[in-house]
Amino acid sequence: MSATAVPATLFDLPEPSPSERPAFGRSSGMTVLSYGLGADSTAILIEFLDHPERYGLAPDLSDLIVVHAVTGDEWPDTLDYVDRLVLPRLRRAGVRLVQVARAGRQDADGVVVLDDSRSPRRIFARGPWRLSDELREAGTVPQIANGRRTCSIRFKGWVLDQWAEAEFDGASYRRVIGYHYGELKRAEKDSRIQREHNRAAGRTICEPFYPLILARQDRAAVERYVLERLGEPVQKSYCSQCPFSGVCASRDAHEARLREHPHIAADVLRMEHVAMALNERSSLYGTDSLYRRLTEDGRNHPVLSAFEESLDQAPYAIYEVRRIYFAARTPDCRTHHGRSCRSPKWWCRQPRTEQCRVDHPAGDFEPWCPGHSECRGPAKKGPAWRSVRTVWEGDRRTAEQLIRQFAARHGLALERGETSGIQRAHYLTADGGFPAAAAFAVAAPAGVRDKQRRNFEEAWTRHTGDVGTRWNPLRPLPAPEPPRPTGGKPLIRRAKSIGGVTLIA
């Protein structure tokens, strides 16, 4: 791979002016490759092993650390591919491979180092707390908030940053990420974020380096390169429940992979099923569901059968789900009241009409209009609060039967989800305006953690007049976990091994 330069302004950290020049910390002289197991980072790793000097590395690679963040939901064939074809090369070169994972639900639980070795024998399939554990407990699928891949941030980025902070203790390092040439915008965003982190810290935490972009290698070129060097097509690396599975692999390839691993497919379908039971719009692909896609191809019948069998065998629950949809803050509110509105006016939640702006102009600080009906525009949807309480547990058949009985006994609307086909017994339906409230009972596999905000009941009564749930919850709400400060330092745990067995729980 030739190293053809691209404009340096894309990646170089900006030169600060003398007045804002921070006292940058010392350099560790180390290079850290974030190894995601896929084609891009595998290609970089092979290049580093074969031509270290070309990339500013020591001939013996003593200044290279390969770090892999274990999410717990990688495909078995990807793990096997790396175990057979990549790890032997690392062992021969004596390159250090560190495998890290989240140690628990909270950040204060820290990071666990599953393995730190120059002779690694396997890639770990999971750590103490998997991404799928978090999603099943929350009753949801991976989320994208404001363009941020929150699952990647929590289970990859945060874990890697915590490990690096503990490893280098303030010394800077070079961080290598496998963005290929078709991902220039992702690399530019990553570089910009790192510049901001460096400035905030007053030192160079790390310097981003993107070898594939510098070599102008796109995805097709990378895959050809890995095939030539390793002798087998590289196995795509992505979590089994990834909402970008249509990007990480073609739809046909992804569905073929699901057919090869029907037990994994059934787990992902069940995760989506539970998420959509609690929220009809929580399908894996936004406006489309994995289940619907699989039903379009007769070859997926074994996968769908495995899914149905998993539902029949799973412990079931009846959940009472309540939601409050608040009205969004208006632009006027944000302009006059800033980030926090402590004394809301009527126009903080209902936009002023154009006629109101003509008849009742704003004063120096805020509009003086008392809020005539013709001055109030329709409110827009703002944040939503959700309460999930488990009211019954048992088998699937009985749970679904009880939902129908609940609806008939109390005269509730029994509705079937347009996308999911799941039946829900609705006893309160949002009327379209905001604020609004909605509530229903639904049967789905058990395992979702009962959860609601601390002030939910007060807000629920204020908006609906109802007090509490319609059915008695099986158990009290889990006590809120108090914040567990870490003292500002990363907590790094080491996995223990007994008789060659690694204990990760």
Side-chain angles (χ1 to χ4, degrees):
M1 299 195 314
S2 60
T4 304
V6 295
T9 54
L10 184 61
F11 306 114
D12 289 351
L13 295 174
E15 187 69 22
S17 65
S19 61
E20 62 178 1
R21 189 184 304 276
F24 290 116
R26 69 192 187 283
S27 173
S28 67
M30 298 298 293
T31 293
V32 175
L33 169 60
S34 298
Y35 188 38
L37 309 184
D40 299 326
S41 54
T42 296
I44 294 173
L45 181 54
I46 295 171
E47 273 288 288
F48 283 0
L49 295 176
D50 291 348
H51 307 288
E53 297 96 333
R54 182 184 298 175
Y55 298 95
L57 295 167
D60 63 355
L61 293 167
S62 56
D63 53 355
L64 173 64
I65 307 175
V66 180
V67 186
H68 171 56
V70 178
T71 65
D73 296 287
E74 186 58 77
W75 292 91
D77 47 9
T78 294
L79 301 177
D80 175 70
Y81 185 93
V82 175
D83 286 350
R84 290 187 298 105
L85 302 177
V86 179
L87 294 192
R89 290 171 175 257
L90 286 179
R91 291 195 295 270
R92 287 195 296 270
V95 171
R96 183 182 173 194
L97 172 64
V98 182
Q99 301 184 62
V100 289
R102 287 190 71 93
R105 180 187 300 109
Q106 290 195 22
D107 287 355
D109 294 321
V111 172
V112 61
V113 177
L114 302 171
D115 192 34
D116 186 344
S117 172
R118 294 187 182 274
S119 57
R121 295 291 170 180
R122 67 183 174 107
I123 296 293
F124 277 71
R126 59 164 297 175
W129 184 248
R130 299 178 298 171
L131 171 59
S132 55
D133 294 333
E134 186 155 296
L135 295 171
R136 290 190 182 95
E137 185 181 82
T140 188
V141 292
Q143 304 293 310
I144 303 172
N146 299 320
R148 301 168 74 241
R149 306 184 187 195
T150 53
C151 55
S152 293
I153 292 171
R154 280 180 55 77
F155 284 82
K156 291 184 179 181
W158 180 84
V159 172
L160 295 171
D161 288 346
Q162 292 291 296
W163 171 85
E165 184 178 344
E167 175 74 16
F168 297 111
D169 190 26
S172 62
Y173 60 97
R174 182 172 61 162
R175 182 191 56 166
V176 181
I177 296 182
Y179 292 132
H180 60 74
Y181 195 61
E183 297 176 308
L184 281 168
K185 289 186 177 181
R186 291 187 67 187
E188 186 175 24
K189 179 180 178 181
D190 176 72
S191 187
R192 183 176 65 252
I193 291 173
Q194 190 57 57
R195 288 198 301 268
E196 293 169 356
H197 289 335
N198 289 345
R199 281 182 171 178
R203 64 182 180 87
T204 302
I205 299 171
C206 71
E207 299 172 351
F209 181 46
Y210 313 95
L212 297 179
I213 290 179
L214 293 174
R216 299 182 183 271
Q217 298 291 303
D218 60 15
R219 176 58 59 81
V222 168
E223 291 181 348
R224 286 196 302 270
Y225 174 82
V226 175
L227 174 59
E228 291 172 359
R229 300 308 307 276
L230 299 185
E232 292 183 22
V234 66
Q235 296 296 318
K236 300 287 186 180
S237 172
Y238 57 97
C239 292
S240 56
Q241 69 274 9
C242 181
F244 297 101
S245 53
V247 177
C248 303
S250 70
R251 176 175 172 178
D252 287 344
H254 179 59
E255 292 185 9
R257 207 170 198 181
L258 291 172
R259 290 192 292 271
E260 292 172 5
H261 304 282
H263 64 291
I264 294 178
D267 284 346
V268 177
L269 285 166
R270 187 167 64 247
M271 177 185 295
E272 180 185 59
H273 182 85
V274 173
M276 295 185 71
L278 304 182
N279 182 354
E280 180 68 19
R281 292 181 292 181
S282 286
S283 55
L284 196 59
Y285 302 120
T287 58
D288 199 5
S289 69
L290 174 62
Y291 181 82
R292 192 206 64 77
R293 288 188 178 189
L294 294 179
T295 58
E296 293 182 337
D297 191 330
R299 293 176 297 175
N300 295 323
H301 178 73
V303 168
L304 298 173
S305 296
F307 166 55
E308 286 297 328
E309 290 177 9
S310 74
L311 292 184
D312 289 338
Q313 296 172 10
Y316 251 67
I318 292 178
Y319 301 103
E320 182 174 1
V321 182
R322 294 176 292 161
R323 281 190 178 82
I324 304 171
Y325 302 97
F326 294 94
R329 293 181 64 192
T330 64
D332 281 338
C333 178
R334 295 186 183 279
T335 298
H336 297 295
H337 296 159
R339 297 182 62 183
S340 178
C341 179
R342 299 185 180 278
S343 300
K345 310 294 184 180
W346 69 265
W347 42 264
C348 289
R349 293 293 183 267
Q350 290 181 277
R352 300 171 66 209
T353 62
E354 290 303 316
Q355 189 61 46
C356 179
R357 294 183 183 280
V358 172
D359 296 341
H360 309 124
D364 291 339
F365 299 102
E366 61 184 41
W368 61 265
C369 173
H372 303 304
S373 58
E374 62 272 16
C375 294
R376 298 172 181 257
K380 295 183 179 181
K381 180 184 175 183
W385 288 7
R386 183 176 83 171
S387 166
V388 177
R389 304 301 304 273
T390 306
V391 299
W392 184 89
E393 290 178 338
D395 63 275
R396 179 187 184 184
R397 180 177 179 182
T398 305
E400 292 177 343
Q401 183 178 4
L402 285 174
I403 290 296
R404 293 190 291 270
Q405 291 176 355
F406 284 162
R409 184 181 307 127
H410 298 283
L412 306 180
L414 188 63
E415 299 179 6
R416 188 179 295 275
E418 183 177 348
T419 302
S420 68
I422 298 171
Q423 286 189 324
R424 302 176 184 83
H426 291 261
Y427 66 83
L428 187 61
T429 302
D431 58 10
F434 299 103
F440 59 84
V442 65
V448 178
R449 193 177 191 218
D450 286 10
K451 186 176 181 181
Q452 66 184 37
R453 289 174 180 261
R454 182 169 58 88
N455 297 323
F456 181 89
E457 294 298 347
E458 292 85 345
W460 179 257
T461 300
R462 186 167 64 251
H463 285 283
T464 68
D466 285 352
V467 177
T469 56
R470 291 289 180 93
W471 295 278
N472 293 325
L474 283 183
R475 58 189 71 91
L477 280 168
E481 295 188 32
R484 287 180 278 144
T486 61
K489 294 184 177 180
L491 174 60
I492 307 297
R493 307 174 187 273
R494 299 280 172 174
K496 297 181 179 180
S497 296
I498 298 179
V501 177
T502 303
L503 306 178
I504 60 176

